[in-house]
Amino acid sequence: MRKPVLRAIGVPSIALVACLAASVSAQEAEATSDQSGEIIVTANKRSENLQDVPISVSAVGGDALEKGRTTQIDELVTKVPNLQLTSTVGENTPIFALRGVSLNDFSLNQSGPVATYYDEVYKGNFALLGIALFDLERVEVLRGPQGTLYGKNTTGGAVNLISRAPKLGETSGYLNLGYGNFDRIDINGAVNTPLGENAALRVAGTFARADGWFRNVLPGEPDLASVSEYGVRAAHLWRDAGHHVLRQDGLRERAG
C-alpha cells in the first residue's frame, strides 16, 4: 500500500565549508549585483548596469531561481514576461517564443529563432535543452533580433543561462536538501576553493529522484513518471601575468 502523500518541504541551506574568508559577503541579490545594489548584466558582451543597457532585456538572479524552485528550463516562462514556449516532443524540450516569433515544426533538425546559450555555448536544437538549472548566477532574456552579438538565427531573441563562476581568494559553499511527495529527494550544492593567489576551482552538483506518480499494475515493475537525474559541473578560473582572467568549464549530466 502506498505511503500517505506528504506536502513538499524544503530544508534550509547549510554551509558545506566551515572556514569562510573574512571578506565573504552575503548571498548575491536578484542578479549579479555590486555593493550599491545595481543589477549587472552582460547582454552586450560586457558588464553593465541593467538600467543602462539600451536593449529590451530581463534578468533573473540565481537566488530568485533557487527560491522559486526553478530546476528545469521550461519553468523560465513563469519568471520572465512575454517568454512563452511550446513542446512537441515532451517535457524539458521547449521551443521558446518572444514577441510572437517562434518555430512551428516538430522536426529535431530545426533550430528556433529564439536562441539559447549556456555560458555562451550555443544550444541550436531544442532537444539539447534538457539540462538541469543549478548554481546559476542569473538568466538573461533578450527580446528582438540579436544577430549582431549572438550569431545567426536569433531573429526572435536570446535566452542566456550564466552559471556562477569561481572566485579568486574565496572559500565558500552551500548545500540544499529537500524531501517531498512520492519520496522525492532533491540535493544541490557547490564548493568554491582558491588554488593559490591566481586560480580558483568551483564544483557544483545536483541530484533528484522520485517514485513515479503513475502506478504500474504489473508486478515488480516500477511506477511510471519517476525521476532519476543528476548533474555535475566543475569550473576552473585563473589569472595570468597580464591580469587577464580565463575560465574553463566541464559539465556532465544525466536524466532519466
Side-chain angles (χ1 to χ4, degrees), residues 202-241:
R202 186 179 187 90
V203 179
T206 183
F207 171 81
R209 69 155 303 278
D211 297 335
W213 53 267
F214 198 113
R215 186 174 182 181
N216 194 336
V217 297
L218 294 177
E221 296 296 327
D223 293 337
L224 303 181
S226 60
V227 176
S228 177
E229 59 186 18
Y230 73 87
V232 179
R233 179 176 62 246
H236 182 217
L237 181 144
W238 68 93
R239 181 175 55 191
D240 62 14

Side-chain angles (χ1 to χ4, degrees), residues 28-31 59-70 79 136-137 164:
E28 291 86 0
E30 283 291 311
V60 183
D63 289 345
L65 295 173
E66 290 179 4
K67 292 177 182 178
R69 294 183 56 81
T70 305
K79 307 295 182 182
L136 290 182
E137 185 72 46
R164 286 176 175 158

Side-chain angles (χ1 to χ4, degrees), residues 186-204:
D186 288 290
I187 305 173
N188 66 81
V191 175
N192 187 98
T193 181
L195 302 175
E197 296 182 355
N198 298 317
L201 175 67
R202 186 179 187 90
V203 179

Side-chain angles (χ1 to χ4, degrees), residues 21-70:
S23 61
V24 176
S25 60
Q27 293 285 341
E28 291 86 0
E30 283 291 311
T32 304
S33 305
D34 60 16
Q35 294 181 355
S36 64
E38 295 180 344
I39 298 177
I40 307 300
V41 297
T42 55
N44 278 336
K45 298 292 185 176
R46 57 182 179 269
S47 298
E48 297 176 290
N49 183 358
L50 179 61
Q51 300 300 322
D52 298 332
V53 178
I55 55 179
S56 179
V57 55
S58 296
V60 183
D63 289 345
L65 295 173
E66 290 179 4
K67 292 177 182 178
R69 294 183 56 81
T70 305

Side-chain angles (χ1 to χ4, degrees), residues 88-89 95 103-111 125-126:
T88 60
V89 297
I95 303 175
L103 171 71
N104 187 18
D105 196 326
F106 61 86
S107 174
L108 297 180
N109 296 324
Q110 304 295 330
S111 57
N125 193 302
F126 58 87

Side-chain angles (χ1 to χ4, degrees), residues 118-139:
Y118 198 111
D119 286 335
E120 299 189 359
V121 177
Y122 176 52
K123 301 290 186 180
N125 193 302
F126 58 87
L128 301 176
L129 298 181
I131 53 179
L133 303 184
F134 64 99
D135 199 43
L136 290 182
E137 185 72 46
R138 65 188 177 278
V139 174

